[in-house]
Amino acid sequence: MPRTQLAPQAPAPTQAHVPTQARTAARRPFAIRAAGPQDCAEIADFIAGLSARTQFLRFFASVAPPSSGLLRGLCGSGGRAHVLVATDRGGAIIGHAMAVDATAAGGSRTSDVGLVVADGWQRHGVGSALLAALIAGAAARGVAALNMDVLPENASMLAIIERHWPEAGRRSGPDFITFRAEIRSRAAAA
């Protein structure tokens, strides 16, 4: 089994004096960090280790092995993308998320986001944690809204969106659903 497909380990015990939010993060059997071009080989291995279905749900196509152009984008080469990875306690990538900022008509900043989690790590909070980190990073950069395209059969991603963006606007197209969520008010509440 590829290293990126290992199932999560039981969380380590934490000390009672740690604040609740920090205690929750400390119990996670994974960490989230910024990624970049130095992580391209590991990101390529991560993408190649995803099942064909998981690849399709994220990229709307099979992408293993990822093309050099796709890989450059996933690694944040060129400076347009803000890339995060989730890693297990051994440092293997188990999740990938990215946001690509743009300036919309009228000057407001928006960001298109996407994320994917290794098959063996799905439904363990990795996707939710990555999306929360994307939202926080976008808010810190002054982004006003996030956009995400999701296939209608991607029940896991639809559930994450419902939890994090219950107020998100939804526009159904012929092949996918586009979500748009304002984040300025969320940043003030965080």
Side-chain angles (χ1 to χ4, degrees), residues 33-153:
R33 66 172 175 82
Q38 71 280 2
D39 297 298
C40 278
E42 289 82 6
I43 291 172
D45 289 345
F46 166 71
I47 298 299
L50 297 173
S51 70
R53 176 160 174 72
T54 296
Q55 288 179 34
F56 182 77
L57 291 175
R58 167 57 180 95
F59 300 104
F60 300 8
S62 176
V63 296
S67 69
S68 60
L70 175 60
L71 190 55
R72 280 192 305 276
L74 292 173
C75 295
S77 299
R80 289 192 58 225
H82 302 274
V83 180
L84 301 172
V85 292
T87 59
D88 66 13
R89 290 195 173 140
I93 295 175
I94 60 166
H96 178 275
M98 62 188 297
V100 180
D101 296 350
T103 303
S108 67
R109 293 184 65 197
T110 64
S111 190
D112 290 330
V113 300
L115 64 95
V116 63
V117 175
D119 294 82
W121 281 85
Q122 293 174 9
R123 290 178 266 304
H124 291 283
V126 178
S128 292
L130 283 167
L131 184 57
L134 282 178
I135 292 169
R141 293 189 309 276
V143 172
L146 298 177
N147 302 304
M148 181 182 283
D149 294 334
V150 180
L151 290 170
E153 62 266 29

Side-chain angles (χ1 to χ4, degrees), residues 149-162:
D149 294 334
V150 180
L151 290 170
E153 62 266 29
N154 193 344
S156 295
M157 194 69 235
L158 294 172
I160 290 171
I161 291 169
E162 182 60 32

